[in-house]
Amino acid sequence: MGTVIMHNVVSVDGFIADKNDEVGPLHDWYFSGDTPITESGDHQYDHSGTGIGFKVSRASAEYVRSIWGSIGTIVMGRNLFDLVNGWEGQPPAGDHVVVVSHRPKPEGWHPEASYHFVDGVTAAMDKAQELAGERVVAVNAGEVGGQFLAAGLVDEVAMDVVPVVFGSGKRYFGSIDGQQLLEDPHVVIQGERVLHLKFKVRG
């Protein structure tokens, strides 16, 4: 089985969006650099609706390419799915998406897309691992991500920390209850307006 990484862009005070699910300046660094995330400059990762694709600093590009290139399956909650309409069936990375939801896929929604709606974190992880094989399972942070971490289903935590303070909003770890110990960061990369960190979850 592949590594399970919980990931998101996050403010320095631990929020992934404000109370209205607006990300504010958290994603600005995706578009403020001079290096396309894809070597060829194609639009493989362009899900911004701008048509310009992601361009980041050179340090960030190398890191993001390695992360996104390793992903087989993305796991997301139903709230995020509804907010972005499932990226219109084209996830920013990986070949498959598992949506943790009590409700089924919307009728007629992109039947060609490999999106699977599964009730409960354990069943969702089983499906995600099955689809990913030896590749990475990337779990979006937030309420659902916190549930996966609390259930002991996350191997690493990856944070793209942006120098902004939200004060309140949607927390990176959701409403997780109790302490979770992480190892010292084994990846520390300073980009422009973002700091990339990765921690292994202490077993």
Side-chain angles (χ1 to χ4, degrees):
M1 293 187 298
T3 303
V4 178
I5 299 176
M6 180 178 168
H7 172 257
N8 229 87
V9 182
V10 61
S11 69
V12 291
D13 56 343
F15 295 100
I16 59 175
D18 67 18
K19 62 182 181 180
N20 298 315
D21 290 305
E22 298 291 338
V23 297
L26 286 180
H27 292 178
D28 287 357
W29 65 275
Y30 276 124
F31 308 102
S32 61
D34 57 8
T35 307
I37 289 176
T38 51
E39 292 283 3
S40 62
D42 66 23
H43 299 307
Q44 178 183 356
Y45 294 134
D46 176 28
H47 299 280
S48 63
T50 65
I52 61 174
F54 293 130
K55 284 191 173 183
V56 298
S57 68
R58 186 168 299 277
S60 289
E62 184 176 347
Y63 173 74
V64 174
R65 283 179 194 141
S66 68
I67 288 277
W68 287 9
S70 69
I71 293 171
T73 304
I74 290 175
V75 181
M76 65 193 308
R78 185 58 181 258
N79 183 57
L80 180 57
F81 174 87
D82 289 340
L83 281 171
V84 300
N85 197 31
W87 303 297
E88 299 298 340
Q90 297 181 6
D95 300 315
H96 313 280
V97 174
V98 173
V99 182
V100 183
S101 177
H102 302 301
R103 293 175 283 135
K105 182 190 298 186
E107 188 174 351
W109 185 88
H110 293 285
E112 78 287 353
S114 181
Y115 279 57
H116 307 266
F117 288 63
V118 181
D119 188 358
V121 295
T122 302
M125 183 55 66
D126 289 344
K127 185 63 177 179
Q129 292 279 21
E130 173 193 331
L131 293 166
E134 295 301 313
R135 299 179 73 192
V136 165
V137 172
V139 178
N140 285 114
E143 287 297 334
V144 166
Q147 292 173 29
F148 278 96
L149 181 64
L153 298 173
V154 173
D155 300 311
E156 297 182 14
V157 170
M159 309 175 88
D160 299 322
V161 184
V162 173
V164 59
V165 176
F166 270 39
S168 64
K170 305 297 178 70
R171 295 188 175 279
Y172 182 97
F173 293 104
S175 53
I176 191 169
D177 186 25
Q179 294 183 359
Q180 298 285 329
L181 290 177
L182 308 177
E183 301 293 348
D184 290 338
H186 62 280
V187 172
V188 181
I189 297 173
Q190 183 174 338
E192 295 175 12
R193 302 298 295 170
V194 65
L195 178 66
H196 307 288
L197 302 172
K198 285 181 75 176
F199 309 81
K200 293 185 184 300
V201 177
R202 183 172 293 184

